[in-house]
Short mmCIF file of all heavy atoms in Angstrom, two decimals:
data_model
loop_
_atom_site.label_atom_id
_atom_site.label_comp_id
_atom_site.label_asym_id
_atom_site.label_seq_id
_atom_site.Cartn_x
_atom_site.Cartn_y
_atom_site.Cartn_z
N PRO A 1680 90.29 47.44 92.49
CA PRO A 1680 90.52 47.10 91.08
C PRO A 1680 90.99 45.66 90.93
O PRO A 1680 91.73 45.13 91.75
CB PRO A 1680 91.61 48.08 90.66
CG PRO A 1680 92.28 48.47 91.92
CD PRO A 1680 91.25 48.44 92.99
N GLY A 1681 90.50 45.01 89.87
CA GLY A 1681 90.88 43.63 89.62
C GLY A 1681 90.09 42.61 90.39
O GLY A 1681 90.37 41.41 90.30
N TYR A 1682 89.09 43.04 91.13
CA TYR A 1682 88.32 42.12 91.97
C TYR A 1682 87.45 41.22 91.10
O TYR A 1682 86.78 41.68 90.17
CB TYR A 1682 87.47 42.93 92.95
CG TYR A 1682 86.40 42.14 93.65
CD1 TYR A 1682 86.73 41.08 94.49
CD2 TYR A 1682 85.05 42.45 93.48
CE1 TYR A 1682 85.74 40.35 95.14
CE2 TYR A 1682 84.07 41.73 94.12
CZ TYR A 1682 84.42 40.68 94.96
OH TYR A 1682 83.44 39.97 95.59
N VAL A 1683 87.41 39.92 91.39
CA VAL A 1683 86.57 38.95 90.69
C VAL A 1683 85.30 38.76 91.50
O VAL A 1683 85.35 38.32 92.65
CB VAL A 1683 87.31 37.60 90.52
CG1 VAL A 1683 86.40 36.60 89.81
CG2 VAL A 1683 88.60 37.79 89.75
N LEU A 1684 84.18 39.07 90.87
CA LEU A 1684 82.92 39.08 91.60
C LEU A 1684 82.37 37.67 91.75
O LEU A 1684 82.56 36.83 90.88
CB LEU A 1684 81.89 39.95 90.87
CG LEU A 1684 82.22 41.44 90.77
CD1 LEU A 1684 83.02 41.74 89.52
CD2 LEU A 1684 80.93 42.26 90.75
N PRO A 1685 81.67 37.40 92.85
CA PRO A 1685 81.05 36.08 93.03
C PRO A 1685 79.81 35.97 92.15
O PRO A 1685 79.04 36.93 92.03
CB PRO A 1685 80.68 36.06 94.51
CG PRO A 1685 80.49 37.50 94.87
CD PRO A 1685 81.48 38.27 94.04
N PRO A 1686 79.58 34.84 91.52
CA PRO A 1686 78.41 34.70 90.65
C PRO A 1686 77.12 34.63 91.47
O PRO A 1686 77.11 34.17 92.60
CB PRO A 1686 78.67 33.38 89.92
CG PRO A 1686 79.54 32.61 90.86
CD PRO A 1686 80.40 33.62 91.57
N ALA A 1687 76.05 35.12 90.87
CA ALA A 1687 74.73 35.05 91.50
C ALA A 1687 73.69 34.44 90.58
O ALA A 1687 72.65 34.00 91.04
CB ALA A 1687 74.29 36.45 91.94
N ILE A 1688 73.97 34.43 89.29
CA ILE A 1688 73.08 33.82 88.30
C ILE A 1688 73.85 32.68 87.66
O ILE A 1688 74.93 32.88 87.11
CB ILE A 1688 72.64 34.85 87.25
CG1 ILE A 1688 71.87 35.98 87.93
CG2 ILE A 1688 71.79 34.20 86.17
CD1 ILE A 1688 71.53 37.13 87.00
N PHE A 1689 73.30 31.50 87.70
CA PHE A 1689 74.09 30.31 87.39
C PHE A 1689 73.65 29.61 86.10
O PHE A 1689 74.28 28.63 85.70
CB PHE A 1689 74.01 29.33 88.56
CG PHE A 1689 74.45 29.94 89.85
CD1 PHE A 1689 73.52 30.47 90.74
CD2 PHE A 1689 75.80 30.02 90.18
CE1 PHE A 1689 73.93 31.06 91.92
CE2 PHE A 1689 76.21 30.59 91.36
CZ PHE A 1689 75.28 31.12 92.24
N ASP A 1690 72.58 30.08 85.48
CA ASP A 1690 72.18 29.49 84.20
C ASP A 1690 72.60 30.38 83.04
O ASP A 1690 71.89 30.57 82.07
CB ASP A 1690 70.67 29.27 84.15
CG ASP A 1690 69.89 30.57 84.32
OD1 ASP A 1690 70.50 31.58 84.70
OD2 ASP A 1690 68.67 30.56 84.06
N CYS A 1691 73.79 30.94 83.19
CA CYS A 1691 74.30 31.88 82.20
C CYS A 1691 75.69 31.45 81.79
O CYS A 1691 76.51 31.07 82.63
CB CYS A 1691 74.33 33.29 82.81
SG CYS A 1691 75.18 34.48 81.80
N GLU A 1692 75.97 31.49 80.48
CA GLU A 1692 77.25 31.03 79.98
C GLU A 1692 78.22 32.17 79.72
O GLU A 1692 79.32 31.96 79.25
CB GLU A 1692 77.06 30.27 78.67
CG GLU A 1692 76.48 31.12 77.55
CD GLU A 1692 76.45 30.39 76.23
OE1 GLU A 1692 77.03 29.29 76.17
OE2 GLU A 1692 75.87 30.91 75.28
N ALA A 1693 77.81 33.42 79.98
CA ALA A 1693 78.64 34.55 79.55
C ALA A 1693 79.01 35.46 80.71
O ALA A 1693 79.08 36.66 80.57
CB ALA A 1693 77.92 35.35 78.47
N LEU A 1694 79.23 34.89 81.88
CA LEU A 1694 79.62 35.72 83.01
C LEU A 1694 80.92 36.44 82.75
O LEU A 1694 81.16 37.55 83.21
CB LEU A 1694 79.74 34.86 84.28
CG LEU A 1694 78.44 34.34 84.88
CD1 LEU A 1694 78.73 33.47 86.07
CD2 LEU A 1694 77.54 35.49 85.26
N GLU A 1695 81.80 35.79 81.95
CA GLU A 1695 83.08 36.43 81.68
C GLU A 1695 82.93 37.66 80.81
O GLU A 1695 83.84 38.46 80.68
CB GLU A 1695 84.04 35.44 81.01
CG GLU A 1695 83.60 34.99 79.63
CD GLU A 1695 82.65 33.80 79.68
OE1 GLU A 1695 82.16 33.47 80.77
OE2 GLU A 1695 82.44 33.18 78.62
N ALA A 1696 81.76 37.81 80.18
CA ALA A 1696 81.56 38.97 79.32
C ALA A 1696 81.23 40.22 80.12
O ALA A 1696 81.26 41.31 79.60
CB ALA A 1696 80.45 38.70 78.32
N ALA A 1697 80.87 40.08 81.38
CA ALA A 1697 80.56 41.25 82.19
C ALA A 1697 81.82 42.04 82.48
O ALA A 1697 82.91 41.49 82.59
CB ALA A 1697 79.90 40.81 83.49
N PRO A 1698 81.72 43.36 82.59
CA PRO A 1698 82.92 44.17 82.80
C PRO A 1698 83.51 43.94 84.18
O PRO A 1698 82.79 43.79 85.16
CB PRO A 1698 82.39 45.60 82.64
CG PRO A 1698 80.94 45.51 82.97
CD PRO A 1698 80.50 44.16 82.50
N THR A 1699 84.79 43.91 84.24
CA THR A 1699 85.48 43.80 85.53
C THR A 1699 85.58 45.17 86.15
O THR A 1699 85.39 46.19 85.51
CB THR A 1699 86.89 43.20 85.34
OG1 THR A 1699 87.64 44.09 84.51
CG2 THR A 1699 86.81 41.84 84.68
N VAL A 1700 85.93 45.18 87.43
CA VAL A 1700 86.04 46.45 88.15
C VAL A 1700 87.12 47.32 87.53
O VAL A 1700 86.95 48.52 87.34
CB VAL A 1700 86.35 46.18 89.64
CG1 VAL A 1700 86.62 47.47 90.36
CG2 VAL A 1700 85.19 45.44 90.27
N ASN A 1701 88.20 46.71 87.14
CA ASN A 1701 89.31 47.46 86.58
C ASN A 1701 88.90 48.15 85.29
O ASN A 1701 89.19 49.32 85.05
CB ASN A 1701 90.49 46.52 86.32
CG ASN A 1701 91.79 47.27 86.12
OD1 ASN A 1701 91.89 48.43 86.48
ND2 ASN A 1701 92.77 46.60 85.55
#
Side-chain angles (χ1 to χ4, degrees):
Y1682 167 63
V1683 179
L1684 296 89
I1688 299 173
F1689 304 95
D1690 60 348
C1691 170
E1692 62 173 352
L1694 289 178
E1695 65 274 12
T1699 62
V1700 174
N1701 196 17

